[in-house]
Amino acid sequence: MKQGIHPDYHDIKVVMTDGTEFITRSCYGAKDATLNLDIDPKVHPAWTGGQQQLMDRGGRLSRFNSKFGGLFATK
């Protein structure tokens, strides 16, 4: 194995948006660094199932819906 080509892999502390913390191993920062998350799975709509609001600019969304609206059946 070649020497000096691998990054330093060490423990860091990750702080979630609600203040909970955990220790993980990463190449981020220096040893015992703290990574404060702005977005995490507890609050982001992609994981929480929140509804995204889409704006129809120039009729593009309505054109898309009229063309492909019946493509996927909803229950």
Side-chain angles (χ1 to χ4, degrees):
M1 183 160 67
K2 292 184 178 180
Q3 297 296 320
I5 63 168
H6 299 286
D8 181 30
Y9 193 60
H10 49 269
D11 291 338
I12 65 165
K13 178 172 61 172
V14 178
V15 180
M16 307 288 267
T17 56
D18 66 351
T20 58
E21 304 174 350
F22 64 92
I23 303 293
T24 189
R25 296 187 53 79
S26 174
C27 297
Y28 173 81
K31 182 173 173 37
D32 298 323
T34 301
L35 175 62
N36 294 302
L37 298 180
D38 294 330
I39 299 173
D40 65 42
K42 294 179 182 179
V43 297
H44 195 278
W47 290 284
T48 61
Q51 292 291 3
Q52 181 180 6
Q53 299 295 323
L54 297 175
M55 295 180 67
D56 191 5
R57 293 193 176 121
R60 291 177 183 235
L61 183 59
S62 55
R63 283 196 326 247
F64 178 85
N65 285 335
S66 65
K67 190 173 185 179
F68 300 108
L71 188 62
F72 300 106
T74 58
K75 293 182 181 180

